[in-house]
Amino acid sequence: MTEHKAGAHPRHALAPLLTSPVRLSVVAALAPLDKADFAFVRDLVEVSDSVLSKQVAALEEAGWVTVTKGRVERRPRTWLALTKEGRAVYGRHLDALRAIAGGQGLDTPA
């Protein structure tokens, strides 16, 4: 029987907050952009305003997303952006998913 090193499986690098499909989708939508309009993200992720607002609040509380409010002409706007920490966490999460999908961390019998 092979002994496992504690924490060696790539799943330990997953960010629990990003195991939510909506939060992962929001972060993935923001990753290639400097910032994005709330409505753009809402439509891209295909959720309601209230669902997006709740998920963004969780990401903001974690320090991974910033929310900036302003106006364009007379219309109120809300912009979302990933923080440096948010980008780093997202990158590690993707690396862990790739490692899991690639079978890393699995012991194969000799």
Side-chain angles (χ1 to χ4, degrees):
M1 184 174 215
T2 307
E3 191 172 315
H4 290 276
K5 188 171 101 178
H9 192 277
R11 78 174 179 283
H12 297 291
L14 291 173
L17 200 59
L18 295 183
T19 59
S20 158
V22 173
R23 286 190 295 265
L24 178 60
S25 297
V26 169
V27 171
L30 294 174
L33 308 171
D34 289 332
K35 67 180 179 178
D37 182 74
F38 183 94
F40 170 80
V41 176
R42 177 201 62 212
D43 294 347
L44 185 65
V45 177
E46 300 177 348
V47 293
S48 67
D49 284 353
S50 62
V51 168
L52 181 58
S53 182
K54 181 179 177 182
Q55 300 308 319
V56 166
L59 293 166
E60 185 180 28
E61 187 176 316
W64 301 348
V65 169
T66 59
V67 178
T68 307
K69 295 187 181 275
R71 292 192 171 272
V72 174
E73 296 176 7
R74 294 182 164 188
R75 302 181 72 197
R77 298 285 184 184
T78 301
W79 292 277
L80 309 174
L82 279 182
T83 63
K84 185 177 180 181
E85 180 184 357
R87 289 183 189 284
V89 169
Y90 177 61
R92 287 191 302 271
H93 189 81
L94 286 182
D95 289 344
L97 288 172
R98 286 186 195 103
I100 292 166
Q104 289 181 13
L106 300 177
D107 287 335
T108 54

